[in-house]
């Protein structure tokens, strides 16, 4: 219900929550005015209104949920992926809901395409970027001895080189915004040894450390860097991942797999993309202004579970 005295959240045409713009201040006692100002300040700390964001890999899975959540919090978001038709379908759907989202095709494993992407972002957002989410990544699930040089190089180019190079390219835009936030998407494979995920896990471990270094180097420019570590999340990618190498990926969703999850993940289930997007969004909000250089898990507790599998 609309509150006429205090700032309120109202629903817009698409059913999205937005901050009410009318904050009546006349004829109010000074104590009430102070309260209103404080409430308004608090709500602004939990809003991304007026900010700009680039999220890589937004057409599916976790990236898709991140685009949606950032945009619902008021950010203008640009995203990319390799397949135009699927990407444009997403963008049209979001725009139809009143969200400010644009998209362009980019293979982040290519240095030239990364440069082209950042030029587009520069032009769309007028040289200012508040948020960069390095999300797009993939991996081969193979025993280390079977990984080819080509597979190794493509995994490193996509998961590590892209995040580093895009952060370099975004740096002037993040600095120009006056308040920049980089979020890397890592994996529990960066923390735990997992058979058949050696190269993927190594790229994610490097991402964790890159986060800490950039956080120290760029804080003076008002750019924070943090890293979110998802556990097993229900996405197209996780079709090839399973919580235990003893369980075939084809069992994801089946009873045997559920039993393994119940034993391994204290919360007892696979996560949803929105449960990762919520943490990413929190790290981009003004309210997290003192959180910098952190590697934070959204994994249902799997990485701290000392009980036998
Ligand atoms: N799902 C999990 O259980 C899980 C667990 C831990 C960590 N993660 C991490 O979470 C992130 C997202 O994973 P996800 O499960 O959401 O993956 P996903 O379902 O496979 O989606 C990946 C997204 O990235 C895009 N993408 C992939 N390669 C790309 C490239 N070279 N250039 C540009 N876009 C590319 C894909 O679109 P196109 O294919 O059309 O390019 C898609 O939009 C990754 O960093 C992953 O390592 C996931």
């Amino acid at each position: 219900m609309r509150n006429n005295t205090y700032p309120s959240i109202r629903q817009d045409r698409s059913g999205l929550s937005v901050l009410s713009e009318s904050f009546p201040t006349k004829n109010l006692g000074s104590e009430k005015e102070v309260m209103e100002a404080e409430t308004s300040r608090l709500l602004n700390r939990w809003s991304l209104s007026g900010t700009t964001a680039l999220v890589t890999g937004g057409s599916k899975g976790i990236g898709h949920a991140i685009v949606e959540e950032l945009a619902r919090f008021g950010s203008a978001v640009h995203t990319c992926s390799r397949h135009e038709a699927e990407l444009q379908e997403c963008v049209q759907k979001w725009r139809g809901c009143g969200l400010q989202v644009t998209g362009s095709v980019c293979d982040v494993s290519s240095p030239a395409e990364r440069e082209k992407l950042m030029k587009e972002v520069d032009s769309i957002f007028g040289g200012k970027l508040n948020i960069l989410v390095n999300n797009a990544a993939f991996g081969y699930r193979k025993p280390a001895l079977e990984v080819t040089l080509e597979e190794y190089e493509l995994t490193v180019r996509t998961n590590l080189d892209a995040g580093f190079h895009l952060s370099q390219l975004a740096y002037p835009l993040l600095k120009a915004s006056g308040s920049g936030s980089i979020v890397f998407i890592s994996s529990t494979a960066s923390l735990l040894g997992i058979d058949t995920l050696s190269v993927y896990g190594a790229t994610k471990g490097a991402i964790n450390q890159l986060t800490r270094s950039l956080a120290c180097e760029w804080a003076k420019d008002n750019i924070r860097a943090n890293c979110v570590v998802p556990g097993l999340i229900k996405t197209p990618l996780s079709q090839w991942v399973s919580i235990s190498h003893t369980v075939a990926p084809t069992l994801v969703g089946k009873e045997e797999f559920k039993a393994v999850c119940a034993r391994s993940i204290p919360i007892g289930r696979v996560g949803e993309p929105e449960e990762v997007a919520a943490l990413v969004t929190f790290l981009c909000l003004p309210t997290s202004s003192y959180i910098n250089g952190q590697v934070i898990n959204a994994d249902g507790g799997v990485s701290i579970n000392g009980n036998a599998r």
Side-chain angles (χ1 to χ4, degrees), residues 56-64 80-83 86 106-109 134-138 158-159 185-188 200 204 229-238 240-241:
T56 62
S59 64
K60 287 196 275 278
I62 293 169
H64 187 281
C80 71
S81 72
R82 292 166 300 180
H83 299 99
E86 189 183 27
C106 170
D107 180 345
V108 299
S109 70
N134 286 305
N135 165 74
F138 87 110
T158 308
N159 299 4
I185 306 301
S186 182
S187 163
T188 41
Y200 175 79
K204 295 297 187 176
V229 181
L232 189 60
I233 309 297
K234 223 181 282 167
T235 71
L237 180 77
S238 58
W240 58 263
V241 182

Side-chain angles (χ1 to χ4, degrees), residues 102-123:
T102 49
S104 52
V105 171
C106 170
D107 180 345
V108 299
S109 70
S110 152
E113 292 199 27
R114 297 193 287 255
E115 283 175 14
K116 183 166 164 277
L117 172 69
M118 203 54 72
K119 279 195 183 122
E120 283 163 356
V121 168
D122 191 348
S123 148

